[in-house]
Amino acid sequence: QVQLVESGGGLVQAGGSLRLSCAASGRIFGNSIVSWFRQAPGKEREFVSAITWNGALTYYADSVKGRFTISRANARDTLFLQMSSLKPEDTAVYYCAATLRSTDPQLRFWRTYSNWGQGTQVTVSS
C-alpha cells in the first residue's frame, strides 16, 4: 500500500505561481499512474494532471494545459505540480493519488484511484 502526503499549498495572488509536492512511501511500480486532482467546496473532484511513475507519459486537463507542469523527482519518491498563471478558479483542495495501472481516459476519473493523500489547500485571490 502507498502512503501519500501533500504539501506546498497556500495563499497566492492571481497570476502568481505555486509548487505542490507529494511525498510517496511504500510500493509503487513503474507502470503505475500518479495524479493530481482538486476539489472546490460543493463541486465534484476534478482531474488536474497525471504522470506514469516511470515519467514516460503526462496528461493534463484542458483547464490547466500550458499553465501547470507535473513531474517526478527521480532521486526521491516525490511528485510535483508546478502551477503558474494562477486564477481564482484554481482555488481548491489539491490531492495526489495513485493507482497500479490505468490508461487514458480512465486515468482522468477519481474513482480509478485506490490511494489518496490528505490534500493541501490552494487559495488564489483576485
Side-chain angles (χ1 to χ4, degrees):
Q1 188 173 10
V2 178
Q3 290 77 48
L4 305 169
V5 180
E6 302 95 334
S7 62
L11 176 64
V12 64
Q13 291 186 341
S17 299
L18 204 61
R19 188 183 73 166
L20 305 183
S21 300
C22 175
S25 61
R27 188 70 169 174
I28 305 180
F29 294 94
N31 61 350
S32 295
I33 300 293
V34 287
S35 302
W36 290 97
F37 286 78
R38 65 188 183 187
Q39 188 166 23
K43 294 187 176 181
E44 182 67 270
R45 190 170 299 185
E46 68 173 341
F47 173 78
V48 177
S49 186
I51 188 171
T52 53
W53 195 239
N54 60 20
L57 297 172
T58 59
Y59 309 85
Y60 295 93
D62 289 342
S63 60
V64 305
K65 184 76 173 181
R67 300 189 298 121
F68 292 7
T69 302
I70 191 171
S71 63
R72 175 188 175 249
N74 290 330
R76 273 171 47 86
D77 291 332
T78 304
L79 178 71
F80 298 104
L81 184 68
Q82 178 66 52
M83 306 184 294
S84 300
S85 301
L86 284 163
K87 306 173 181 179
E89 50 262 46
D90 295 318
T91 295
V93 177
Y94 283 70
Y95 300 89
C96 59
T99 188
L100 287 175
R101 188 179 73 249
S102 188
T103 56
D104 199 14
Q106 286 74 25
L107 53 81
R108 299 174 184 268
F109 300 100
W110 68 270
R111 294 185 185 273
T112 298
Y113 294 82
S114 56
N115 296 94
W116 292 87
Q118 83 290 347
T120 185
Q121 176 71 48
V122 172
T123 303
V124 184
S125 63
S126 60

